[in-house]
């Protein structure tokens, strides 16, 4: 069993890791150990007894509490902060009980109940050990068992403690729209490093993901503790190093402008279920940390697991809003000839949509563009052998729309303030039940009346004036209830239309997280489709997302500078899509594109479902390489890219590439190199590839 009770605590053991905590002599729930799995249960250190240090620091300050609440003499970051109806703002959580059992799906779970000494507040901590993936999953549920409301001002999912050390380094990603997922590594010193989103969605700017090492890990080796929060709304991550040398990562729903009123016992709002965080430890460096998350996403999270995505064509960059049946039919015919398997009509197809200032909210085909509805186009696309996909942006409304004219009160707003528009649009308040019902009914109708295989679900602005007039609880519950509402809408549609594939897009990756991956099958990483920028974005994306969820289009961006082959090679590192204006491609380019698509189909299972190795970083070097290996290690694909290397000599010798993930004693051939060599040789001796500026290559690897 992977979760078991041991002396003075509980051990969660996976294939090669262990996470241990327990009660100390003072009855506090204390973190004990997180790292390599050890042979015996006595090998895990005991929970230290609570201490005080002079009169300035109480046990709450010194102990490494598993789920600290704000109360007593504690000045570290707590997981929970609450105000009781009496005005008391001090929470005292005591251990009450522990159960190890199976949930409804037969998954083993540990549930610990903590309860306040005086008030009817309970916190249930849930744990799962994902043995195969070497990951631990945790979340918390906060409940009011009494009759008076309790106001929560912070409710995090968990706190992850690292072994005592003072050399920690935090890796995280930051960026912005069009330049997402840039990796940063920085040393942690006493104090706090905070990353967060206050934008209603996960955000382009930072992600709820961390990797902490002792300052010495690389892609291949070194201890790394890593994790990510499954939540698509405001979140906060605090990496704190206390003045007593303890480093911990607190993560959860953002407490900024947050409030949650827990109503009396049994009511619909008497409990708050917090999002799960999945985390792990490895000594295989950042590469192994990523691969553990990739496997978990494909094996556990994704609704269609494990899905191999078709090659799609998306007409956005070809026709923008000028979408109509003839233009799309023409593109579809060319796309089918190239080997495309799914044809997606993007923005512009619905009622009143000429540009971005009208139509959002009115999700029925525009009568002038599609006089007979979408049916004839879909039939044509299907007859060409392709599935049909459609773009929607359900949470949004243009003031110039029938929906807004009918329900101006449905948007997020404060009554006395301007309704600031972003891209001429406002946000429907998905926390409202009537809005949820409306969106479910509208999209259900669209999906029932048309043979739609794929939906691209977009969200193109950040929030402003986050008001909720008439909110049933505290209006600041909007931040969480919006996301819960979105999950309900999307989840209901998924249930009703189980064969549809869904893409999460938010003007790029502003809704890229493990929460949405329970609903979406793939993610759009960036609106920046410049292949050379994309190399860096894709690499950041791969820190925690596998290649099969990464939609990647070949477009016309910088076609004068970047060859079709280079652009294809970059997109072939994920779920390949094409977004070029196909009308402008020459016969020769169409032939080349068809060849590359055919090649992609051959390597697709390895790229989308294999193990990924970042051999050389595109964020750090103009010569980069990434390799994918099939899970049985019998085949692989190597991609190498050169962008611009300054200097007169365009044929500078590039550093050797050392392959990864092969079986040392098996023989392999690598395309372009004569003779079979052992896996050990390809990995230790390496190979050299010559590339000029903005050239790329793909080399297939197979076992002989
Ligand atoms: C967003 C998306 C794009 C495209 C446009 C359409 O920007 O990220 O891919 O769908 O919206 O308006």
């Amino acid at each position: 069993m992977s979760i078991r009770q041991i002396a003075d605590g509980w051990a969660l053991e996976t294939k090669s890791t262990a996470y241990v905590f327990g009660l100390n002599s003072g009855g506090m729930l204390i973190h004990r150990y997180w790292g390599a799995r050890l042979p015996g249960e006595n090998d895990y250190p005991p929970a230290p007894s609570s201490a005080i240090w002079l009169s300035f620091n109480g046990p709450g300050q010194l102990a490494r509490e598993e789920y600290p609440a704000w109360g007593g003499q504690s000045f570290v970051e707590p997981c929970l902060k609450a105000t009781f109806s009496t005005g008391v703002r001090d929470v005292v959580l005591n251990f009450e009980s522990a159960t190890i059992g199976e949930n409804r799906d037969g998954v083993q779970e540990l549930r610990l109940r903590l309860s306040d000494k005086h008030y009817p507040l309970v916190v249930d901590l849930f744990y799962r050990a994902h043995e195969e993936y070497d990951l631990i999953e945790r979340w918390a549920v906060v409940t009011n068992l009494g009759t008076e409301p309790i106001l929560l001002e912070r409710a995090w999912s968990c706190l992850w403690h690292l072994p005592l050390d003072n050399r920690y380094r935090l890796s995280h990603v930051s960026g912005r729209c069009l330049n997402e997922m840039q990796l940063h590594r920085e040393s942690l010193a006493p104090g706090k490093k905070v990353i967060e989103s206050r934008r209603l969605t996960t955000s382009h700017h930072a992600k709820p993901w961390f990797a902490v090492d002792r300052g010495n890990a690389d892609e291949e080796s070194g201890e790394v503790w890593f994790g990510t929060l499954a939540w698509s709304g405001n979140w906060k991550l605090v990496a704190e190093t206390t003045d007593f040398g303890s480093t911990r990562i607190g993560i959860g729903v953002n407490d900024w402008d947050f409030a949650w009123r827990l109503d009396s016992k049994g009511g619909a709002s008497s409990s708050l279920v917090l999002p799960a965080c999945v985390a792990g430890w490895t000594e295989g460096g950042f590469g192994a940390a990523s691969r553990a998350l990739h496997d978990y996403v494909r094996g556990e999270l994704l609704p269609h697991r494990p899905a191999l995505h078709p090659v799609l064509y998306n007409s956005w960059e070809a026709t923008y809003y000028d979408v109509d049946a003839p233009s799309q039919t023409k593109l579809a015919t060319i796309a089918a000839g190239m080997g495309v398997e799914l044809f997606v009509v993007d923005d512009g197809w619905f009622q009143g949509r000429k540009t971005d200032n009208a139509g959002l909210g009115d999700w029925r085909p525009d009568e002038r563009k599609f006089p007979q509805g979408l049916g004839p186009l879909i039939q044509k696309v299907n007859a060409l052998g392709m599935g049909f996909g459609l773009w929607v942006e359900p949470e949004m409304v243009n003031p110039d729309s029938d929906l807004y004219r009918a329900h101006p009160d449905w948007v997020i707003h404060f009554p006395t303030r301007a309704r600031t528009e972003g891209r001429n649009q406002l946000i429907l308040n998905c926390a409202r039940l009537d809005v949820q019902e409306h969106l479910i009914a509208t999209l259900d109708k669209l999906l029932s009346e048309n043979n739609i295989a794929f939906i691209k679900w977009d969200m193109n602005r950040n929030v402003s004036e986050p008001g909720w007039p008439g909110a049933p609880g505290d209006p600041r519950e909007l931040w969480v209830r919006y996301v819960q509402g979105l999950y309900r809408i999307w989840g209901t549609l998924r249930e009703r239309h189980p064969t549809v594939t869904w893409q999460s897009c938010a003007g790029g990756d502003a809704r890229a997280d493990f929460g949405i991956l329970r609903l979406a099958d793939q993610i759009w990483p960036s609106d920046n489709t410049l292949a050379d920028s994309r190399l860096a974005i894709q690499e950041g994306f791969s820190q925690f997302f596998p290649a099969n969820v990464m939609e990647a289009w070949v477009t016309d961006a910088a076609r004068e500078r970047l060859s079709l082959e280079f652009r294809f090679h970059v997109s072939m590192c994920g779920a390949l899509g094409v977004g070029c204006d196909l009308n402008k491609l020459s016969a020769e380019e169409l032939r080349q594109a068809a060849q590359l698509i055919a090649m992609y189909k051959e390597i697709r299972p390895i790229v989308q479902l294999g193990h990924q190795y970042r051999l050389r970083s595109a964020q750090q070097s103009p010569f980069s390489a990434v390799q994918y290996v099939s899970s049985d290690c019998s085949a692989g694909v190597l991609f190498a890219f050169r962008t611009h290397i300054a200097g007169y000599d365009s044929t500078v010798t590039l550093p050797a590439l050392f392959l990864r993930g092969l079986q040392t004693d098996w023989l392999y051939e690598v395309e372009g190199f004569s003779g079979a060599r052992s896996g050990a040789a390809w990995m230790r001796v390496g190979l050299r590839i010559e590339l000029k500026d903005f050239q790329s290559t793909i080399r297939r690897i197979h076992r002989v």
Side-chain angles (χ1 to χ4, degrees):
M1 288 302 245
S2 43
I3 305 181
R4 56 198 176 103
Q5 179 149 20
I6 57 170
D8 299 325
W10 298 270
L12 285 80
E13 288 174 323
T14 65
K15 239 175 10 191
S16 47
T17 78
Y19 181 91
V20 183
F21 60 102
L23 298 170
N24 72 4
S25 55
M28 290 172 97
L29 192 62
I30 301 289
H31 174 76
R32 290 172 53 183
Y33 178 84
W34 188 18
R37 181 173 177 161
L38 304 177
E41 69 175 60
N42 294 335
D43 293 336
Y44 300 120
S49 57
S50 325
I52 45 172
W53 184 265
L54 304 175
S55 56
F56 294 99
N57 297 287
Q61 177 71 9
L62 294 169
R64 294 196 293 156
E65 274 190 272
E66 186 69 5
Y67 192 86
W70 187 59
Q73 198 180 5
S74 168
F75 310 98
V76 289
E77 288 289 331
C79 286
L80 188 73
K81 183 176 184 312
T83 302
F84 298 104
S85 56
T86 53
V88 168
R89 306 190 315 282
D90 183 87
V91 179
V92 183
L93 292 180
N94 286 336
F95 171 75
E96 192 181 303
S97 62
T99 25
I100 299 174
E102 284 186 358
N103 72 3
R104 262 182 270 146
D105 302 326
V107 178
Q108 196 194 25
E109 261 173 27
L110 165 64
R111 170 187 178 154
L112 292 186
R113 173 155 284 201
L114 310 179
S115 56
D116 188 86
K117 232 173 154 171
H118 180 86
Y119 294 96
L121 175 71
V122 298
V123 178
D124 290 306
L125 303 180
F126 287 86
Y127 295 82
R128 283 184 196 167
H130 295 281
E131 217 172 336
E132 272 310 293
Y133 305 108
D134 271 336
L135 295 171
I136 305 293
E137 186 182 355
R138 288 176 65 183
W139 70 99
V141 179
V142 191
T143 305
N144 179 3
L145 294 177
T147 48
E148 298 297 320
I150 300 170
L151 188 74
L152 302 181
E153 288 147 21
R154 171 183 290 185
W156 277 357
S157 296
C158 58
L159 189 64
W160 298 103
H161 291 277
L162 302 170
L164 293 174
D165 196 344
N166 58 5
R167 296 169 293 175
Y168 286 119
R169 180 172 67 159
L170 172 71
S171 299
H172 59 101
V173 286
S174 73
R176 55 180 188 276
C177 184
L178 301 176
N179 188 35
E180 295 88 342
M181 293 282 190
Q182 305 300 314
L183 184 68
H184 297 273
R185 300 202 201 279
E186 53 189 280
S187 296
L188 292 174
K192 292 165 208 171
K193 166 77 188 179
V194 180
I195 54 173
E196 63 175 355
S197 166
R198 300 180 175 191
R199 293 167 184 261
L200 190 65
T201 58
T202 330
S203 105
H204 296 95
H205 300 255
K207 294 287 182 290
W209 164 79
F210 64 91
V212 178
D213 72 306
R214 297 189 199 261
N216 57 4
D218 57 23
E219 281 292 319
E220 298 302 319
S221 65
E223 284 188 284
V224 181
W225 293 260
F226 57 95
T228 185
L229 185 73
W231 185 240
S232 313
N234 283 5
W235 56 271
K236 185 173 187 176
L237 182 157
V238 179
E240 177 173 23
T241 300
T242 72
D243 23 23
F244 287 86
S246 140
T247 298
R248 62 273 299 276
I249 309 282
I251 194 163
V253 166
N254 203 339
D255 56 352
W256 176 82
D257 198 40
F258 166 87
W260 189 275
R261 199 179 72 191
L262 287 176
D263 278 334
S264 47
K265 185 178 176 178
S269 302
S270 60
S271 267
L272 175 60
V273 181
L274 298 163
C277 182
V278 65
W281 169 88
T282 176
E283 53 189 345
F286 300 112
S290 297
R291 287 188 291 278
L293 293 175
H294 295 174
D295 288 344
Y296 170 75
V297 167
R298 288 185 292 225
E300 289 291 316
L301 272 192
L302 287 178
H304 293 165
R305 56 179 106 134
L308 262 190
H309 289 298
V311 177
L312 69 73
Y313 177 76
N314 180 299
S315 60
W316 171 242
E317 294 193 23
T319 45
Y320 291 101
Y321 301 97
D322 286 334
V323 172
D324 57 19
S327 71
Q328 300 305 298
T329 307
K330 194 167 167 218
L331 288 168
T333 309
I334 308 175
M338 286 162 60
V340 166
E341 298 157 313
L342 174 70
F343 183 82
V344 184
V345 172
D346 209 279
D347 197 349
W349 61 271
F350 46 94
Q351 190 57 41
R353 190 72 162 171
K354 288 196 202 98
T355 169
D356 64 15
N357 62 7
L360 291 174
D362 300 340
W363 300 109
R364 51 185 193 277
D366 186 274
E367 285 147 11
R368 278 156 305 173
K369 297 178 177 181
F370 297 95
Q372 297 156 285
L374 293 172
L377 174 62
I378 296 179
Q379 279 155 22
K380 176 72 188 163
V381 166
N382 291 161
L384 286 165
M386 297 182 291
F388 180 82
L390 201 60
W391 178 96
V392 289
E393 200 181 355
E395 302 146 82
M396 295 293 154
V397 66
N398 287 118
D400 184 1
S401 67
D402 294 344
L403 182 67
Y404 188 75
R405 283 183 282 273
H407 298 287
D409 52 327
W410 276 8
V411 298
I412 292 177
H413 71 286
F414 287 118
T416 56
R417 297 290 175 208
R419 300 177 180 200
T420 303
E421 292 174 19
R423 208 194 190 201
N424 305 306
Q425 59 202 53
L426 298 167
I427 306 178
L428 290 172
N429 185 351
C430 292
R432 292 174 60 129
L433 213 55
D434 48 6
V435 170
Q436 292 171 24
E437 293 303 334
H438 169 80
L439 290 178
I440 290 170
T442 308
L443 295 172
D444 187 26
K445 184 166 184 288
L446 184 68
L447 287 163
S448 304
E449 288 175 354
N450 298 286
N451 184 22
I452 293 174
F454 176 94
I455 287 283
K456 173 174 171 183
W457 185 305
D458 211 338
M459 205 286 191
N460 276 311
R461 61 162 294 187
N462 288 143
V463 73
S464 60
E465 300 93 22
W468 179 0
D474 189 304
R476 289 168 293 181
E477 290 172 21
L478 173 79
W479 301 109
V480 171
R481 290 196 186 271
Y482 182 94
V483 181
Q484 291 175 335
L486 172 81
Y487 286 170
R488 175 170 174 256
I489 300 165
W490 201 322
T492 309
L493 292 165
R494 263 211 89 105
E495 251 174 58
R496 291 191 193 168
H497 302 278
T499 57
V500 174
T501 297
W502 304 77
Q503 183 184 92
S504 170
C505 170
D509 81 347
R511 197 181 269 146
D513 55 76
F514 278 33
I516 211 64
L517 282 184
R518 293 210 175 93
L519 298 164
D521 306 83
Q522 55 170 239
I523 292 171
W524 176 238
S526 182
D527 271 1
N528 184 344
T529 59
L530 272 173
D532 41 359
S533 315
R534 195 75 179 207
L535 277 176
I537 294 169
Q538 293 185 173
E539 181 177 295
F541 193 88
S542 78
Q543 295 295 331
F544 45 116
F545 294 117
N548 70 322
V549 310
M550 185 178 78
E551 178 63 31
W553 306 345
V554 178
T555 69
D556 294 327
R559 61 180 303 195
E560 62 296 338
R561 181 165 66 75
L562 301 173
S563 69
L564 190 70
E565 183 180 70
F566 187 93
R567 285 177 280 142
F568 256 94
H569 286 176
V570 172
S571 296
M572 286 161 79
C573 293
L576 175 66
V578 179
C580 303
D581 184 350
L582 300 180
N583 299 310
K584 291 194 190 133
L585 295 194
S586 66
E588 170 51 24
E589 283 173 318
L590 288 173
R591 197 195 50 78
Q592 200 189 356
Q595 261 178 8
L596 286 158
I597 289 174
M599 180 192 188
Y600 178 74
K601 288 178 183 169
E602 273 173 42
I603 61 173
R604 169 165 57 188
I606 305 173
V607 172
Q608 291 197 18
L609 303 179
H611 293 144
Q612 183 173 351
Y613 296 83
R614 295 176 292 255
L615 302 191
R616 284 185 60 87
S617 166
Q619 293 195 0
Q620 284 170 17
S621 152
F623 173 51
S624 64
V626 58
Q627 185 199 346
Y628 303 81
V629 180
S630 64
S631 46
D632 66 359
C633 302
S634 66
V637 199
L638 168 69
F639 291 80
F641 301 94
R642 172 171 166 171
T643 54
H644 175 58
I645 300 180
Y648 296 111
D649 183 2
S650 64
T651 57
V652 285
T653 310
L654 298 171
L657 295 173
F658 302 94
L659 299 186
R660 291 285 168 244
L662 307 178
Q663 291 288 336
T664 48
D665 52 349
W666 290 3
L667 286 179
Y668 293 89
E669 278 177 354
V670 177
E671 208 173 352
F673 294 86
S674 63
R677 287 192 237 160
S678 66
W682 291 115
M683 295 193 287
R684 300 252 171 219
V685 180
L687 52 84
R688 281 189 185 279
I689 280 175
E690 294 305 328
L691 293 173
K692 299 208 173 86
D693 271 7
F694 299 106
Q695 256 192 347
S696 56
T697 186
I698 296 181
R699 303 297 171 93
R700 281 168 285 202
I701 302 160
H702 64 267
R703 186 182 179 194
V704 183

